Amino acid sequence: MKKKQIELVKDNYDKNITYKVINAKYNDAIKNKYYLEALMISYALVEDRLRSFLYFLGLIETNENNKLYICDKNEDIIELLKIKNRDFNKYEFNDISSKYGAIARITKWVNSSKCIKKKKSYLYILNYECESLDIDGILESVSKMKKWIDFRNEITHGLLNKNVDSLYKELEERTKEGKRYFNFFASQVKILKKENSIRKFLSLK
């Protein structure tokens, strides 16, 4: 595994400090109209909450990596996620698209699923816990998110080839759009985290 150049947070206390500092940086950037900086921060905030969403669905085992967690109890998720031609033992949610894509497939399934008779199963608990979430809001967010991600990627990978007037016409709103996604998914993660039923079922800490 490639060695990280920046040290990871050690625990939840350390993570909370990082959140406070980065959120303060975002607010300062918005206040001073540093929208390029704010957009990068909002992107990181959204991706972190998407990761936490998958974490509390029991699809990521630890905070050390983004590897898909599969065991005997939750192997039904493989078909649901529709990850084709992959080695599931090596699959990782390493980019924001893989994260929101997995969330989209799961919430679409929850939105259309029928009664699951096998109560002591991962899919039953997944469906039950997701009923407490704002499924319509999640589906709406992930459907709109791709355009927002594409906008950010255009800036990240081709900023100096963009017309300045066109860039700044949407930059402020796109930046604030990202923070709205963050706030929304943070609220959904909080619901999953409250009982933490899915991770408990899978015997995950």
Side-chain angles (χ1 to χ4, degrees):
M1 182 182 292
K2 187 177 180 180
K3 185 178 180 181
K4 301 290 186 183
Q5 297 186 55
I6 302 172
E7 185 179 351
L8 297 174
V9 295
K10 299 180 181 67
D11 48 35
N12 287 334
Y13 177 77
D14 201 10
K15 181 68 176 279
N16 287 334
I17 292 175
T18 299
Y19 251 97
K20 287 180 180 179
V21 171
I22 297 303
N23 265 307
K25 290 288 186 182
Y26 173 86
N27 291 331
D28 285 344
I30 291 293
K31 181 179 179 180
N32 292 294
K33 299 184 179 182
Y34 300 150
Y35 296 124
L36 288 172
E37 179 181 358
L39 180 64
M40 298 303 108
I41 293 173
S42 66
Y43 186 92
L45 290 170
V46 170
E47 185 163 10
D48 183 78
R49 289 301 83 191
L50 295 179
R51 186 196 183 281
S52 289
F53 193 99
L54 294 172
Y55 178 86
F56 286 105
L57 292 185
L59 298 182
I60 296 175
E61 183 178 7
T62 72
N63 287 319
E64 279 79 47
N65 59 63
N66 294 317
K67 185 178 178 182
L68 170 65
Y69 176 71
I70 297 294
C71 65
D72 292 341
K73 289 183 178 180
N74 75 341
E75 60 186 1
D76 290 341
I77 200 69
I78 293 175
E79 183 178 353
L80 197 156
L81 289 177
K82 298 180 180 179
I83 303 171
K84 298 180 179 179
N85 301 319
R86 300 269 191 171
D87 182 346
F88 296 111
N89 294 321
K90 296 180 180 179
Y91 186 81
E92 298 187 31
F93 301 104
N94 277 336
D95 55 57
I96 196 169
S97 296
S98 64
K99 294 179 179 72
Y100 87 77
I103 292 170
R105 285 187 283 275
I106 290 169
T107 48
K108 284 178 182 177
W109 171 78
V110 170
N111 200 43
S112 62
S113 66
K114 298 179 181 179
C115 179
I116 301 171
K117 295 180 180 180
K118 190 178 179 182
K119 292 188 175 182
K120 291 184 179 181
S121 70
Y122 173 78
L123 291 184
Y124 176 86
I125 295 173
L126 175 67
N127 187 67
Y128 179 81
E129 290 299 314
C130 286
E131 285 179 352
S132 300
L133 302 175
D134 181 358
I135 296 298
D136 290 338
I138 294 172
L139 290 172
E140 181 181 3
S141 294
V142 295
S143 69
K144 294 179 178 179
M145 196 175 290
K146 186 179 186 308
K147 189 174 181 180
W148 175 74
I149 291 170
D150 288 343
F151 180 85
R152 174 268 183 190
N153 287 343
E154 282 191 41
I155 290 176
T156 301
H157 304 296
L159 177 61
L160 296 183
N161 291 316
K162 303 302 178 185
N163 175 272
V164 173
D165 291 335
S166 178
L167 169 66
Y168 280 93
K169 181 180 179 180
E170 292 190 55
L171 186 56
E172 179 180 0
E173 174 52 32
R174 293 288 192 163
T175 299
K176 293 178 179 179
E177 178 184 357
K179 193 65 186 299
R180 290 194 295 271
Y181 290 139
F182 163 74
N183 289 334
F184 173 72
F185 277 101
S187 71
Q188 300 306 291
V189 168
K190 188 175 182 180
I191 294 170
L192 289 172
K193 185 178 180 180
K194 184 176 182 180
E195 298 296 333
N196 200 18
S197 299
I198 298 175
R199 290 187 65 82
K200 287 178 181 177
F201 171 78
L202 296 173
S203 301
L204 295 173
K205 295 181 179 179

